[in-house]
Amino acid sequence: MINLSNLTFCYGSKPPVLQDLSLYLEPGRIYGLLGSNGAGKSSLMRLMAGLLYPTDGQIRVNNHEPRRREPAFLEDIFFLPEEVDTPAMTLDRYVATMSVFYPKFSDDQFRQQLKAFQLPATINKLADLSLGQRKKVLISFGLATNTSVLLMDEPTNGLDIPSKSQFRKVVSAALADDRLILISTHQVRDLDSLIDSVVVLNDHELLLNAPLERVSQRLRFELLGRDVPADVLYAEPSLRGNAVVLENLDPADDTPIDLERLFNAAISNPQRMKSLFSAPKP
């Protein structure tokens, strides 16, 4: 469980990166954290991990205050940053060194995920791996920690197309009723068919926090001809007409969600989007 209450964060005297942000995330879900570059996604994740401290407001992660970095907090959260570095040691040495900090770490699970990513079980020098290979090792390790909170910042950067597909498979398989997975990305399509809830940040504030089933009840994603209704939330031209996002007037009749169009609708029509969705309360 992650609960943010009226959170504001600034770097020194600079304008707020996040302002008056309230957000509740529950276990048993894979959240996609979407936002443009500079929207505050990485800062938010670092605040949740206790690597940055709020300027104002409160954060609670599994009833812990992250900034205190208590052992019970640290052993049950794993944060994979966007920029990854690996030491000049063997894979086995790395696992032996790092796994002791995570009581629920599964070596069998880790090895299975390495195999799924087509990585060898023996690696002599982690520092010599490519960016994509390092990402695969750390994604596999993070999933195998079995922490109740898993935060991944732009995890698919550096992965090729087949690896992105495998990423979606291993992450979805790692979800449990008592686990919360939050994935930040600006490559929206990398999360297709993976997430079941979406969080959208823009211009220092929260625009949307909703399960996808609720999104499909409130919005329609359609392809129309040249005539676009005046009340459309978002429209973009395509080879076959206009791809649009509309308010759904019949919740029983839903359409497949297009995450990229959903994100564009949120940032181009923020006030109307916020009026359609109210943040879930703890």
Side-chain angles (χ1 to χ4, degrees):
M1 176 273 293
I2 298 177
N3 193 5
L4 281 63
S5 179
N6 304 116
L7 175 75
T8 294
F9 174 72
C10 308
Y11 286 101
S13 59
K14 295 181 179 179
V17 176
L18 300 165
Q19 188 162 16
D20 198 26
L21 181 67
S22 294
L23 177 66
Y24 180 74
L25 307 178
E26 60 186 359
R29 288 191 175 274
I30 301 176
Y31 291 87
L33 177 59
L34 310 182
S36 305
N37 290 335
K41 304 186 303 299
S42 295
S43 297
L44 178 58
M45 285 195 156
R46 290 180 178 274
L47 285 159
M48 292 173 174
L51 299 174
L52 295 175
Y53 303 156
T55 305
D56 198 7
Q58 294 185 335
I59 306 177
R60 303 291 291 183
V61 177
N62 291 339
N63 295 318
H64 294 281
E65 189 178 357
R67 65 185 299 164
R68 296 183 180 275
R69 305 280 289 173
E70 298 165 322
F73 165 78
L74 294 173
E75 71 182 19
D76 207 24
I77 185 171
F78 186 87
F79 172 55
L80 176 65
E82 178 180 5
E83 301 295 331
V84 298
D85 196 11
T86 48
M89 62 173 61
T90 67
L91 176 65
D92 288 344
R93 179 67 175 168
Y94 177 83
V95 172
T97 302
M98 300 302 295
S99 62
V100 295
F101 296 105
Y102 301 99
K104 293 181 284 187
F105 179 82
S106 169
D107 189 72
D108 287 344
Q109 184 180 342
F110 175 61
R111 304 295 171 176
Q112 289 170 7
Q113 282 155 185
L114 288 180
K115 185 177 180 181
F117 277 125
Q118 298 183 332
L119 288 174
T122 301
I123 299 173
N124 291 327
K125 202 170 183 181
L126 289 173
D128 288 343
L129 297 176
S130 68
L131 171 61
Q133 290 172 321
R134 295 198 305 271
K135 279 284 182 84
K136 293 175 190 178
V137 168
L138 294 178
I139 289 168
S140 298
F141 185 88
L143 293 170
T145 62
N146 291 299
T147 54
S148 67
V149 175
L150 175 58
L151 310 174
M152 293 189 280
D153 189 7
E154 302 285 357
T156 57
N157 279 2
L159 299 187
D160 56 22
I161 292 175
S163 297
K164 289 181 179 183
S165 176
Q166 192 60 44
F167 168 79
R168 289 190 287 267
K169 292 177 183 177
V170 297
V171 172
S172 60
L175 182 64
D177 290 342
D178 60 351
R179 194 174 207 186
L180 185 163
I181 300 177
L182 177 63
I183 304 170
S184 164
T185 186
H186 66 278
Q187 302 291 338
V188 178
R189 295 207 180 277
D190 287 351
L191 301 186
D192 278 341
S193 73
L194 172 61
I195 65 172
D196 54 24
S197 295
V198 62
V199 178
V200 178
L201 292 179
N202 191 59
D203 197 22
H204 321 300
E205 65 175 349
L206 178 69
L207 297 185
L208 176 64
N209 174 26
L212 292 188
E213 58 262 32
R214 189 155 181 262
V215 172
S216 65
Q217 291 173 352
R218 302 306 303 271
L219 300 176
R220 292 187 63 81
F221 300 81
E222 296 185 356
L223 187 65
L224 303 180
R226 291 186 177 182
D227 296 329
V228 176
D231 62 346
V232 68
L233 279 91
Y234 176 76
E236 62 182 34
S238 73
L239 293 176
R240 295 179 294 165
N242 285 282
V244 302
V245 181
L246 301 159
E247 185 173 350
N248 189 7
L249 301 179
D250 183 5
D253 181 20
D254 56 17
T255 56
I257 294 172
D258 185 305
L259 285 177
E260 188 171 305
R261 269 189 276 163
L262 173 63
F263 173 72
N264 288 330
I267 63 173
S268 63
N269 214 328
Q271 295 306 318
R272 188 168 168 203
M273 187 68 73
K274 285 193 285 188
S275 73
L276 286 170
F277 296 91
S278 58
K281 297 184 183 296

